[in-house]
Amino acid sequence: MRFIVKSYGCQMNSYDSQRMEDSLLEASHQRANSLVDARLIVFNTCCIREKASEKLFSDLGRVRALMNGSAEKFLIAVTGCVAQFQAQDVLKRAPWVDIILGTQDIHQIATKVDEAMHKQLSGSLVSTTLNAKSKFMRLSEQFFHRNVAEFITIQEGCNNFCTYCVVPHSRGREFSRAAVDVIQEAKQLILLGVKEITLLGQNVNAYAGEGLDGKKWNLSRLLAEFGQLNGLKRLRYITSHPRYMDEGIAEAHEKIATLAPSLHLPIQSGSNRVLGRMNRKYTVEEYLKCIQMLREHRPDLAFSSDFIVGFPGETDEDFQQTIELVEKVRFSQAYSFKYSSRPNTAAATMNDQISDTIKSQRLRVLQDLLNEQQNKFNKSFVGRHVNVLFTKKGKHKDQITGRSEYAQAVTVYNDDGAVFIGDIARVEVTETLPHSLIGKVVK
Ligand code: SAH
Ligand code: SF4
Ligand code: F3S
């Protein structure tokens, strides 16, 4: 069957989507060129905010219209976080969906497709068991096409229960894969031409997997092992929780040559009162101390972060403290969101919800400041050199783009064909655009 996997949400979903593609290719299905050309459509979904969940339902509506106008048989699968968190909603609002697979049942995709193709009775096939261990044991053993910068999930699930967040429900409790498995996977990716690997986890710096010596390894120990891998040019990890940062990770940034000097460290709010209500388990002072410790080991470390505005009970003063925190840290880049109330989370029942108007106002103020900081950060590179891993062709002919070690998007003119996708080259930055750098390769 010609299939397409449409991925929503975070990098972990992209990773899961790839692994489902591997399973389907292994079972002799073929990739479709587009949605219209596909007969099997897999929606690998995200429910982090209400808008993300609703996107699935509007896309399902469009596919339904496409199916109604066609004589051909389609199979529709909904997988991932909406499937896990809101399977009943999918069954109610789109009962014609053939397959529903939760986040840790995605390894079953090929067998469920087979079952759905041959089944006699109507109705959806549903599987939503949270068992990360069996997922990783049974994922496809074959790896098909990969890009030059790829991901490996080393840890899935979360025990933190931040009061706004669905992830502990949609991904279950923390599970760390054994080092032997993730290293083996890395070696396979390197053979396929991968140059950069990002280690993934919802709470990646709480990694506690079985090491090669049979003992528990933490993230810094695992990073050291990845630092030794032949052929791996660059290493990253995401997402770190401030509470679990330690000196070992800061030292890794000093010692491991391939470990990129950029770190995503979400703070969410600059108010201790709000952080307490969010159940983040750290204070602004502890966060700042952590940044300082990391900068002592690696002074050029570039920090990015996530913010939520309009969390229940957030006052103007709380918000002002977020602004002050941003001014203190100076982020190279950041994501910011309006708080979105999610079912089954503690914050949804807090009774001092903030109006959308105030959320929008605060978001604008915060984003203006974060954009200004990103611009300033990028402008400071004009005339300097960065190392760029080229990952794809640019928008215009003769352009090629990639990422610097600081995770900035960088584009160069490559009319003489001096660099190729997969190369790392020194680039002199000549100008900056709002969210990227332009430069020329240093010969
Ligand atoms: N594991 C990561 C976060 C995953 S979700 C971590 O702990 O940081 C990515 C980001 O989405 C979060 O950092 C948070 O800023 C945002 N987010 C999560 N739930 C949200 C909600 N209910 N409303 C708005 N933003 C939310
Ligand atoms: Fe969600 Fe908090 Fe866990 Fe991140 S640490 S996934 S925000 S519960
Ligand atoms: Fe979304 Fe699930 Fe990732 S809710 S952000 S796809 S873990």
Side-chain angles (χ1 to χ4, degrees):
M1 249 185 160
R2 291 191 306 283
F3 72 85
I4 199 157
V5 181
K6 197 169 161 9
S7 206
Y8 306 74
C10 66
Q11 288 105 330
M12 191 167 287
N13 255 15
S14 307
Y15 174 85
D16 286 347
S17 295
Q18 267 184 342
R19 303 314 316 273
M20 283 195 280
E21 289 181 3
D22 289 338
S23 301
L24 291 167
L25 291 167
E26 196 178 24
S28 300
H29 297 286
Q30 310 89 40
R31 245 185 254 278
N33 298 322
S34 65
L35 207 70
V36 185
D37 180 42
R39 290 300 166 263
L40 162 64
I41 304 171
V42 182
F43 293 99
N44 195 24
T45 59
C46 171
C47 59
I48 197 78
R49 286 167 287 275
E50 191 182 353
K51 256 196 195 144
S53 293
E54 283 311 310
K55 178 95 181 65
L56 165 71
F57 292 106
S58 69
D59 286 358
L60 279 175
R62 275 198 283 133
V63 166
R64 178 73 165 159
L66 192 81
M67 285 162 65
N68 285 342
S70 165
E72 297 215 40
K73 166 118 184 81
F74 286 81
L75 278 185
I76 306 296
V78 173
T79 63
C81 290
V82 177
Q84 188 66 49
F85 188 56
Q86 297 170 279
Q88 290 311 316
D89 289 351
V90 179
L91 284 169
K92 208 161 82 199
R93 292 172 65 177
W96 43 272
V97 164
D98 301 283
I99 300 164
I100 298 179
L101 290 179
T103 47
Q104 291 167 5
D105 280 312
I106 56 139
H107 56 279
Q108 297 184 41
I109 187 73
T111 45
K112 289 291 173 194
V113 165
D114 201 37
E115 220 177 293
M117 275 161 70
H118 296 106
K119 81 176 177 359
Q120 305 294 331
L121 298 171
S122 63
S124 319
L125 301 170
V126 184
S127 201
T128 56
T129 317
L130 281 173
N131 187 337
K133 193 171 178 184
S134 90
K135 163 182 175 173
F136 287 106
M137 231 162 56
R138 288 150 61 202
L139 282 174
S140 160
E141 284 178 7
Q142 264 182 284
F143 291 74
F144 290 84
H145 170 78
R146 289 295 190 271
N147 297 315
V148 294
E150 286 294 0
F151 305 102
I152 298 180
T153 295
I154 62 164
Q155 181 271 330
E156 178 163 346
C158 187
N159 298 348
N160 284 322
F161 287 93
C162 301
T163 51
Y164 51 80
C165 185
V166 297
V167 171
H169 309 282
S170 69
R171 295 269 173 186
R173 293 303 85 76
E174 280 174 19
F175 168 79
S176 294
R177 297 176 68 193
V180 65
D181 294 339
V182 292
I183 289 166
Q184 169 61 18
E185 195 167 319
K187 287 180 177 165
Q188 277 175 278
L189 296 188
I190 293 166
L191 282 177
L192 285 172
V194 172
K195 308 288 182 206
E196 172 181 309
I197 292 177
T198 302
L199 305 180
L200 290 180
Q202 260 86 40
N203 199 8
V204 75
N205 55 343
Y207 175 81
E210 187 186 333
L212 298 181
D213 53 8
K215 293 186 187 138
K216 271 249 147 63
W217 279 11
N218 58 16
L219 180 66
S220 47
R221 181 65 192 86
L222 187 69
L223 287 172
E225 207 62 29
F226 269 78
Q228 305 287 320
L229 283 176
N230 274 335
L232 184 63
K233 300 276 194 275
R234 196 182 268 171
L235 181 59
R236 302 181 188 279
Y237 57 96
I238 194 166
T239 297
S240 300
H241 189 294
R243 185 182 170 212
Y244 302 90
M245 274 330 270
D246 61 33
E247 191 127 20
I249 300 176
E251 281 168 8
H253 276 286
E254 193 177 331
K255 288 186 190 145
I256 301 173
T258 48
L259 188 58
S262 71
L263 176 61
H264 187 61
L265 198 59
I267 182 161
Q268 316 297 356
S269 166
S271 152
N272 284 335
R273 201 180 65 83
V274 173
L275 288 174
R277 285 164 59 92
M278 286 178 164
N279 192 29
R280 288 293 287 182
K281 307 183 187 108
Y282 54 81
T283 61
V284 171
E285 292 71 28
E286 284 162 344
Y287 183 86
L288 290 171
K289 237 181 166 166
C290 178
I291 297 265
Q292 192 190 348
M293 186 245 317
L294 285 152
R295 279 186 172 146
E296 272 163 20
H297 286 277
R298 182 80 208 217
D300 64 338
L301 203 53
F303 290 95
S304 59
S305 201
D306 291 342
F307 295 87
I308 295 177
V309 298
F311 184 80
E314 184 189 68
T315 62
D316 282 339
E317 199 191 330
D318 291 320
F319 177 67
Q320 200 44 44
Q321 290 176 356
T322 298
I323 296 294
E324 282 161 23
L325 176 275
V326 172
E327 278 163 351
K328 273 189 197 140
V329 178
R330 288 168 285 113
F331 293 97
S332 62
Q333 202 243 324
Y335 299 96
S336 42
F337 312 97
K338 288 195 253 183
Y339 166 74
S340 169
S341 171
R342 307 306 288 131
N344 298 332
T345 59
T349 55
M350 294 181 181
N351 52 19
D352 34 8
Q353 303 283 327
I354 305 292
S355 76
D356 192 60
T357 318
I358 292 183
K359 284 184 198 168
S360 298
Q361 280 167 0
R362 289 181 185 163
L363 189 66
R364 206 169 327 115
V365 173
L366 178 61
Q367 288 187 338
D368 282 350
L369 177 61
L370 291 167
N371 282 336
E372 191 187 306
Q373 291 199 340
Q374 182 175 7
N375 253 320
K376 221 183 212 168
F377 178 76
N378 284 342
K379 283 224 160 73
S380 74
F381 282 83
V382 175
R384 284 166 58 191
H385 292 178
V386 287
N387 296 304
V388 179
L389 169 63
F390 291 101
T391 52
K392 56 183 184 204
K393 284 188 185 156
K395 269 197 206 122
H396 302 289
K397 203 171 144 274
D398 297 334
Q399 277 186 344
I400 185 166
T401 81
R403 296 228 165 241
S404 75
E405 60 269 58
Y406 305 104
Q408 298 146 302
V410 184
T411 300
V412 303
Y413 277 98
N414 190 36
D415 32 8
D416 56 355
V419 285
F420 295 91
I421 290 170
D423 285 349
I424 293 193
R426 270 187 102 60
V427 170
E428 183 187 328
V429 179
T430 52
E431 58 178 298
T432 60
L433 298 177
H435 298 286
S436 64
L437 305 177
I438 308 282
K440 54 180 190 230
V441 174
V442 181
K443 302 247 164 78

